[in-house]
Amino acid sequence: KFVRRYELRGKMDPAAQQQLWDLPNFAPYVTGPVALDLSLVERLNGNKEVAAKISLKETTLNIPELGWKKKPGEVGVAWVSIVSFPDGATNIQNIDIQAPGLRGKATIRLDKGNKFRSAHIKKLVLGRSDFGGVISGSQGGGYDVRLKGKSLDVVPMLAQVDNVDGSTMPQLNLSTNFETVWFDPDVPVHNVSGTLMYDGDFWNQAALIGVVAKNQPFSYELKTVADKQRYTLRAEDAGGILAGLDITDTFRGGKLVLTADRKRAKEQPWKGSLNVSDFAVADAPNLARILTLASLTGIVNRLSGKGIEFTKLEVPFTQLGDKATMSNARAIGAALGLTADGTLDLEKKTVSLRGTIVPAYSIN
C-alpha cells in the first residue's frame, strides 16, 4: 500500500526544524527544540503523508500580535497531519495545539515551494479571544482575513502598531464580526462588525459599527489620503457612550462627534475636536464643588437635580500617545458657560485644567 514508511522519535533543534518544514517566517513564533513522534509514509501515487505528535515543553512559542507567549518548561503539545502532493502543494491538516492559555484547531494550504495559500482557523481560544476565520494570501501582498466569533482582544495588536521600533504584523485586509471586542483593557464593546486595512505600519482605512454597554450604538471611520489621516467617531447618545466606556457618568443625552487629523507618521500628534450638542450635566461632584466656591448655589441645586442643560460642548485637542492638551474648550448653556485649557494624562487618569465660569450665560 506504500513505497516506504518511517517511524521516528526524537528531538529536533531549530536547524533541523528549518530543514524539515522549510517554512518561511517560522521564527519568532517557534524557537527552541521540539520533541516529536512522527510517522512518514510515501504512497504509491506519489503523496507523502506525515502524522506527528509534538511535545513543546522545551519550546518557546510566541504570538506577539495577540500578546501571548509560552516559556520553556511550560507544558505544550500539538498534533498535526501533513499531505505533500507530487506537484509540490502541501496540505497541513488537523492542526491541534494546546498550551497554557491557548487552544487552537486549524488547517493550512501551501502551494508549490511552500508558498502560503490559505488557512482555516476552526477554533482559537487565547486569553479573552475566542474566534475562528479564514486567512488567504492577497494579490497585492499581505493577507485577506475574515474573522468572527464570540470575542477578540485587540489591545496587544494596538500596542504592536504603536511600537515605534516596528510591528511584526503583516499587511492585512480584515473583516470582522464579533459579539465582544476589547479595544481597551477594561471596557468591552459589543456587536462589532466592519472592515479594516493595515499596510504593515499603519491602519489606513477602517469602517466599524458596534454597541457600548447595553444599547449605545456608535460608528467609527478612519480614512487615509496621501500622507494625511482622519478618524471620526459618532454616537447619538453621548451620555450613554461616555458612561459605557467608563469615562464619565455625568452626561445626560447629547449627540457626539469626535474628529481628529494627523500626518501619517507614528510620532505625529492627532489634532481634533470633541463636539457634543444638546446635553445636560448632572451628579458631577467636582463641578459642584467649584460652583459652591463661587456661591452659585442655585445652579448647584439644578446640578444635583435634573442637571444643567448645555446647547453645545467644543473641546479642541492635541493628542500624542497618552498625553492630550485642550485649548479654548467651552461648554455653552443658558444657565452656565464654562471655558477651559489644560492637559490630560490618559495613562495616569489625571487632569489639570484652568478656566472661567460664566453664570447666567445668556445674559452675560
Side-chain angles (χ1 to χ4, degrees):
K1 295 183 179 180
F2 52 83
V3 178
R4 58 183 60 87
R5 182 173 68 190
Y6 301 92
E7 301 287 343
L8 306 176
R9 173 178 293 179
K11 186 179 294 184
M12 296 176 61
D13 61 17
Q17 295 170 36
Q18 192 65 35
Q19 273 194 313
L20 179 64
W21 313 125
D22 192 26
L23 296 179
N25 301 321
F26 205 56
Y29 301 103
V30 180
T31 55
V34 297
L36 74 163
D37 292 325
L38 182 146
S39 172
L40 187 150
V41 179
E42 185 177 344
R43 298 290 181 187
L44 296 174
N45 60 8
N47 290 355
K48 296 177 181 178
E49 302 175 5
V50 175
K53 177 183 178 182
I54 306 169
S55 174
L56 303 167
K57 187 174 182 179
E58 298 180 42
T59 313
T60 298
L61 302 181
N62 188 25
I63 308 178
E65 296 85 352
L66 297 177
W68 179 84
K69 186 173 184 178
K70 186 198 83 67
K71 299 178 181 179
E74 296 178 326
V75 176
V77 64
W79 296 266
V80 63
S81 60
I82 303 171
V83 180
S84 179
F85 300 98
D87 63 359
T90 302
N91 286 350
I92 305 175
Q93 305 173 146
N94 305 320
I95 301 171
D96 189 338
I97 183 168
Q98 298 181 34
L102 171 67
R103 176 68 191 269
K105 292 186 176 183
T107 61
I108 300 174
R109 298 183 65 186
L110 304 175
D111 285 336
K112 186 177 181 180
N114 287 329
K115 182 180 178 182
F116 177 85
R117 182 175 181 181
S118 65
H120 178 203
I121 303 172
K122 299 178 181 179
K123 185 79 168 177
L124 179 61
V125 180
L126 180 63
R128 296 189 294 188
S129 297
D130 184 350
F131 62 89
V134 176
I135 304 171
S136 57
S138 175
Q139 291 183 351
Y143 303 94
D144 295 321
V145 182
R146 301 191 303 274
L147 301 178
K148 64 178 181 179
K150 292 183 179 180
S151 56
L152 178 65
D153 186 353
V154 299
V155 174
M157 205 177 297
L158 296 177
Q160 278 280 319
V161 175
D162 291 338
N163 184 2
V164 296
D165 295 327
S167 168
T168 62
M169 283 182 23
Q171 298 179 33
L172 299 175
N173 296 317
L174 177 62
S175 64
T176 66
N177 192 336
F178 286 95
E179 296 177 20
T180 303
V181 176
W182 279 273
F183 296 99
D184 176 271
D186 303 316
V187 183
V189 179
H190 307 289
N191 300 332
V192 177
S193 62
T195 58
L196 304 96
M197 294 179 61
Y198 180 69
D199 67 0
D201 291 310
F202 294 89
W203 293 103
N204 277 336
Q205 308 287 339
L208 295 172
I209 59 173
V211 177
V212 173
K214 294 182 179 179
N215 55 357
Q216 302 300 330
F218 72 91
S219 65
Y220 174 84
E221 184 179 57
L222 171 67
K223 292 185 177 181
T224 302
V225 179
D227 65 339
K228 294 185 178 180
Q229 294 186 296
R230 162 171 283 200
Y231 72 76
T232 304
L233 175 69
R234 302 179 186 272
E236 294 298 321
D237 185 348
I241 285 289
L242 294 174
L245 293 175
D246 198 27
I247 296 173
T248 178
D249 56 1
T250 62
F251 274 62
R252 303 292 183 268
K255 185 176 181 179
L256 181 148
V257 180
L258 173 65
T259 60
D261 301 85
R262 75 169 179 182
K263 288 186 178 180
R264 188 180 175 276
K266 291 184 178 179
E267 296 186 0
Q268 288 294 316
W270 289 99
K271 296 181 179 180
S273 179
L274 169 66
N275 296 273
V276 183
S277 59
D278 300 322
F279 66 98
V281 173
D283 300 324
N286 289 326
L287 181 58
R289 292 190 191 99
I290 296 172
L291 295 175
T292 300
L293 290 172
S295 300
L296 300 173
T297 54
I299 299 179
V300 173
N301 292 336
R302 293 183 61 176
L303 183 65
S304 59
K306 67 177 183 178
I308 303 172
E309 296 179 349
F310 292 91
T311 56
K312 66 178 178 179
L313 168 70
E314 297 176 351
V315 185
F317 66 89
T318 299
Q319 180 182 346
L320 181 61
D322 292 320
K323 304 293 191 299
T325 302
M326 297 163 41
S327 60
N328 299 318
R330 60 177 182 161
I332 299 172
L336 185 67
L338 299 168
T339 67
D341 299 274
T343 59
L344 297 88
D345 189 317
L346 303 176
E347 180 181 13
K348 296 180 181 178
K349 297 185 178 180
T350 58
V351 60
S352 175
L353 296 177
R354 59 191 176 277
T356 306
I357 298 173
V358 185
Y361 182 84
S362 296
I363 298 175
N364 276 296

